[in-house]
Amino acid sequence: MNKRKLVTLAGLALSLVIGLAGCSGASQTSGGTANYPDKPIQMIVPFTPGGTTDIAARALAGVINKYMPNGQTVAVINKDGGGGTIGVSELFQAKGDGYTIGMVTSGPMTIKPHGGQVAYKPEDFKPVLEVVATPNVLIVKSDSPWKSFDEWLDYVKANPGDFNYSTTGTGLTQHITMESIQVKTGTKLTHVPFNGGSPAIMAMLGGNVAGAFVQTTEAMPYILDGTARPLFVAGTFKPEELKDVPMLSDKKIDVRGDVWTGIAVPKDVPDEIVTILHDSFKKALEDPAVVDQFKKIGAAPVYRGPADFKAIIEQDYQTNGEVLQAIGLKK
């Protein structure tokens, strides 16, 4: 073999090595998504164990290994406090590699950022999918004088400030929804915040407040056993058990008030990883074990993909900002 051929072959070999190295580098710089996930994922739940958000997260995590590439698992980590903002803040600060994801809800995502007490805004996250939505319901004691929504509305219009109601806390979805109702109906109610749905309901049953405005999943046991009477549902849908209870939309009052829950990730997570998470959790959401678990708490899977979920978040953020501005809680 002459020198010219040796030089040519050496050049080809060098080009091949460089080309292979380039391909390897391209795979790594694309975000390393080819083998994602290759280790367990952490899911932050910004509330204590036992609530609707936590139960939904654990139901999904219990089956996700069947649908996640490489059979990887998801560990639920509860980071409660600050009305959900501590956990969401930790998600905001997490590395954008797809190994820290979070269950987010309407309160900490679309209400709390308006108060000037958190560093994040909705655009700091990428929505993956919505998994559940729960309407809210106003309940009163079964022996209360209000038998219907119309009787209640007539009373609160005639007696400004006399009707006091409990919620899970100031500045959360239930409180803002009731403030919206007051704006739409020209009424004045008195808000009494509690730390959670259960104490809010107990306050109502104990006669400390006239009504409780809580999630339908929290109120349903008391409605079904006859100790509480539902007056209206604020949301885009209602459970079958409340089919005879009017929604605000039935009364031409444009207030939605769903408490939605979904999965989100930091904004730096590559779109390819978001797609993998979306596809895996969508399948998990349809798993019979998850559907059954949701049914046990009086909820139903409510799927929205990334684009639709993002639109809901943006719409609620704008609407809640307007309400907070009107009642003097926006900074």
Side-chain angles (χ1 to χ4, degrees):
M1 186 177 293
N2 61 36
K3 272 187 182 179
R4 181 173 292 180
K5 285 186 176 179
L6 285 172
V7 170
T8 302
L9 289 172
L12 288 171
L14 181 60
S15 297
L16 180 62
V17 170
I18 292 173
L20 290 172
C23 290
S24 175
S27 175
Q28 292 174 359
T29 56
S30 68
T33 61
N35 294 318
Y36 175 87
D38 61 6
K39 62 181 179 180
I41 297 167
Q42 287 194 343
M43 177 189 283
I44 296 174
V45 173
F47 300 103
T48 55
T52 302
T53 304
D54 178 72
I55 292 172
R58 293 181 186 278
L60 291 166
V63 302
I64 195 63
N65 65 301
K66 295 192 291 184
Y67 308 107
M68 191 72 73
N70 304 319
Q72 284 299 336
T73 58
V74 172
V76 174
I77 310 294
N78 295 91
K79 297 282 186 177
D80 62 299
T85 60
I86 290 178
V88 176
S89 293
E90 184 161 324
L91 178 65
F92 166 61
Q93 296 167 355
K95 189 176 179 181
D97 58 4
Y99 288 98
T100 301
I101 65 178
M103 287 287 269
V104 297
T105 63
S106 44
M109 281 290 282
T110 69
I111 296 175
K112 291 296 187 179
H114 291 293
Q117 298 174 339
V118 297
Y120 62 81
K121 290 186 178 179
E123 56 264 32
D124 292 317
F125 304 91
K126 282 185 179 178
V128 178
L129 77 165
E130 182 180 347
V131 297
V132 66
T134 309
N136 289 297
V137 60
L138 179 66
I139 55 175
V140 294
K141 290 179 67 174
S142 57
D143 60 356
S144 74
W146 308 288
K147 302 292 193 299
S148 68
F149 169 82
D150 293 329
E151 289 182 6
W152 172 81
L153 186 61
D154 288 342
Y155 175 84
V156 296
K157 283 184 174 180
N159 300 274
D162 280 3
F163 184 87
N164 57 1
Y165 69 94
S166 57
T167 71
T168 56
T170 301
L172 295 180
T173 304
Q174 290 79 14
H175 176 211
I176 301 307
T177 300
M178 287 297 277
E179 292 289 347
S180 298
I181 293 169
Q182 292 176 78
V183 172
K184 298 287 186 180
T185 60
T187 55
K188 182 172 176 55
L189 311 173
T190 300
H191 177 226
V192 182
F194 285 82
N195 186 25
S198 181
I201 293 172
M202 291 302 105
M204 182 272 296
L205 294 175
N208 297 311
V209 292
F213 190 61
V214 293
Q215 293 184 51
T216 53
T217 51
E218 298 166 327
M220 199 63 72
Y222 305 96
I223 295 172
L224 294 178
D225 71 12
T227 56
R229 176 187 300 135
L231 294 181
F232 66 81
V233 174
T236 56
F237 67 99
K238 59 185 175 182
E240 177 64 23
E241 294 87 347
L242 301 181
K243 62 182 180 181
D244 296 326
V245 180
M247 293 176 59
L248 289 177
S249 56
D250 297 331
K251 298 296 182 177
K252 310 302 181 187
I253 299 172
D254 185 22
V255 177
R256 187 173 56 192
D258 290 326
V259 177
W260 47 255
T261 299
I263 297 173
V265 295
K267 67 178 181 181
D268 293 335
V269 172
D271 290 339
E272 297 93 330
I273 288 179
V274 172
T275 298
I276 291 170
L277 290 169
H278 167 269
D279 294 349
S280 301
F281 276 101
K282 185 176 186 295
K283 292 174 183 175
L285 190 63
E286 298 165 352
D287 189 288
V290 172
V291 174
D292 183 62
Q293 187 64 36
F294 279 29
K295 192 176 295 183
K296 287 179 181 178
I297 62 171
V302 177
Y303 165 78
R304 285 190 179 93
D308 290 339
F309 189 24
K310 181 180 180 181
I312 288 290
I313 293 172
E314 291 175 346
Q315 179 182 335
D316 283 1
Y317 181 71
Q318 179 179 343
T319 301
N320 290 330
E322 292 169 356
V323 174
L324 289 164
Q325 184 77 53
I327 64 177
L329 290 181
K330 183 176 179 178
K331 293 184 178 179

